[in-house]
Amino acid sequence: MKRIVQGGAATAVAVSALAVAHVLRRMGSRVLWPARADEYRDEDFGLLHRDRSAVVHATDGVPLAIREHGPADAAVTVVFVHGFCNDMTSYHFQRRDLPALWGDRARLVFYDQRGHGESGVPTAANCTVAQLGADLAAVLEARAPRGPVVVIGHSLGGMAVLAAAAAHRQLFRQRVAGIALICTTAAGMTAGGIGQLLPNPALDGFRLAVRLAPALVQAGRTTARHVITPLLHVSSFHGQVSPTLSRFTTMMIDRTPVSTIVKFLQAIEVHDESAALPALAGVPAVVIGGGHDRVIPFKNSELLAGEIPEAELVRLDGGAHMPHLQFPDAVNAALDRLFARAVPAAGERTASGG
């Protein structure tokens, strides 16, 4: 009987992966790999892991792994919140390049979201977008208890930023001097893109498989790599991609436990952070989206920017869901413009007692 259950679990995984792959191929996103030249062949993707480390405990006790760069007394603290199935190293190029632009004016804080990277494993009940917002608030309280902050969120990380804004309005009103939202949405994940697949019988089978035989499903990621890898390429990048960058991204996603993926699927499906948008009035913002993003289509970025009065909308025509990795110069330029707007805003908040 046990073997029958395990066999059914493996079948559910295969069916789920194949169903998603088929839909993605029909959506027409295309990655040209290998690229003509590998500009990142000698890139040091371990840069972030040599920064100062710390641990912050969330409200439910889950330890969150932190890395920091820059002076503790910097004028502004910039906090980076990564996306689903990523970790803090997804911001490699921001960590590499932004210190040269901002110098000692900024301290950069990166952390792994719960269940991702080096952070702790949460219970399923605490894998919600609201809890991710509480985690961000805990990081701010512990690592940036005073002074202005700029918050940058990608995908699920952007949802966490919006959840924090909804639940901690005074904090955002008094101390958040700028906000960047990359390839994210306030609501409607199941209305377009890959999000349409979330309320899907195949994924329901995948969730059941993880509950019944998690070790088998985790091992199945290796044997089914020929099915899963195209999904990772299609959703992350579009057009010419460095093979080294592609491998770096694939390995980062592969490190995410299957249990984490399943625990957050429903949270992403039902999330609605629209209540946060009024809390962002008057806050300098930039909303960045990819023209070929099949996970969260660019129309979501347009809708989001339309609800934030101070938002600059940036469309990266060649970008997919990971533009901060594929087009770091364009993303960093947008973040630099945000920082230039945020620094005066930070002064105004400090002068007003924020």
Side-chain angles (χ1 to χ4, degrees), residues 27-345:
M27 293 173 78
S29 189
R30 188 164 62 103
V31 174
L32 305 179
W33 185 91
R36 295 189 187 93
D38 190 354
E39 66 269 39
Y40 297 123
R41 182 179 58 187
D42 300 319
E43 183 70 22
D44 178 11
F45 283 106
L47 179 64
L48 247 167
H49 289 303
R50 295 194 294 275
D51 285 338
R52 300 189 304 271
S53 65
V55 174
V56 170
H57 286 88
T59 54
D60 61 349
V62 172
L64 304 173
I66 309 287
R67 294 283 176 173
E68 299 181 4
H69 175 80
D73 60 350
V76 179
T77 298
V78 185
V79 180
F80 295 80
V81 193
H82 68 76
F84 184 49
C85 293
N86 293 179
D87 59 40
M88 69 174 82
T89 63
S90 63
Y91 286 114
H92 167 78
F93 294 112
Q94 287 64 55
R95 164 60 185 88
R96 186 192 71 176
D97 298 339
L98 291 177
L101 294 174
W102 299 341
D104 290 343
R105 294 177 296 163
R107 177 167 62 106
L108 309 186
V109 175
F110 305 84
Y111 72 97
D112 287 332
Q113 297 217 67
R114 57 180 50 227
H116 295 76
E118 298 178 350
S119 288
V121 178
T123 64
N126 287 343
C127 288
T128 65
V129 175
Q131 181 61 58
L132 295 181
D135 291 352
L136 172 56
V139 170
L140 292 176
E141 181 180 355
R143 306 311 303 173
R146 293 173 297 278
V149 296
V150 172
V151 185
I152 299 169
H154 166 248
S155 192
L156 182 62
M159 300 174 197
V161 171
L162 294 173
H168 303 273
R169 294 184 178 230
Q170 185 174 3
L171 170 66
F172 271 67
R173 183 169 57 250
Q174 294 182 345
R175 296 190 50 218
V176 174
I179 181 173
L181 300 169
I182 305 171
C183 295
T184 193
T185 183
M189 265 300 295
T190 60
I194 294 174
Q196 296 175 91
L197 300 173
L198 291 175
N200 185 299
L203 288 183
D204 290 339
F206 184 80
R207 296 182 181 103
L208 177 63
V210 171
R211 288 198 299 271
L212 295 176
L216 178 66
V217 174
Q218 185 67 53
R221 286 176 69 105
T222 300
T223 59
R225 191 175 300 279
H226 66 285
V227 174
I228 295 172
T229 298
L231 306 184
L232 306 179
H233 283 286
V234 168
S235 62
S236 297
F237 304 120
H238 179 82
Q240 295 286 347
V241 180
S242 153
T244 299
L245 180 61
S246 179
R247 283 193 298 272
F248 166 75
T249 306
T250 298
M251 291 173 64
M252 175 178 62
I253 297 172
D254 264 356
R255 288 194 297 266
T256 307
V258 171
S259 59
T260 292
I261 296 173
V262 174
K263 287 174 183 177
F264 275 107
L265 281 178
Q266 185 176 15
I268 294 172
E269 180 180 341
V270 303
H271 104 99
D272 186 340
E273 313 311 320
S274 302
L277 299 177
L280 302 178
V283 178
V286 61
V287 176
I288 302 172
H292 291 276
D293 191 346
R294 308 304 182 187
V295 180
I296 301 179
F298 183 73
K299 67 179 181 181
N300 293 72
S301 296
E302 290 181 305
L303 293 171
L304 188 57
E307 295 291 335
I308 304 174
E310 301 298 322
E312 173 194 0
L313 177 62
V314 176
R315 177 187 172 103
L316 298 177
D317 287 331
H321 195 58
M322 301 288 282
H324 50 309
L325 279 171
Q326 190 174 8
F327 300 101
D329 291 346
V331 170
N332 290 346
L335 296 179
D336 190 40
R337 292 193 299 273
L338 173 67
F339 190 80
R341 295 166 60 202
V343 171

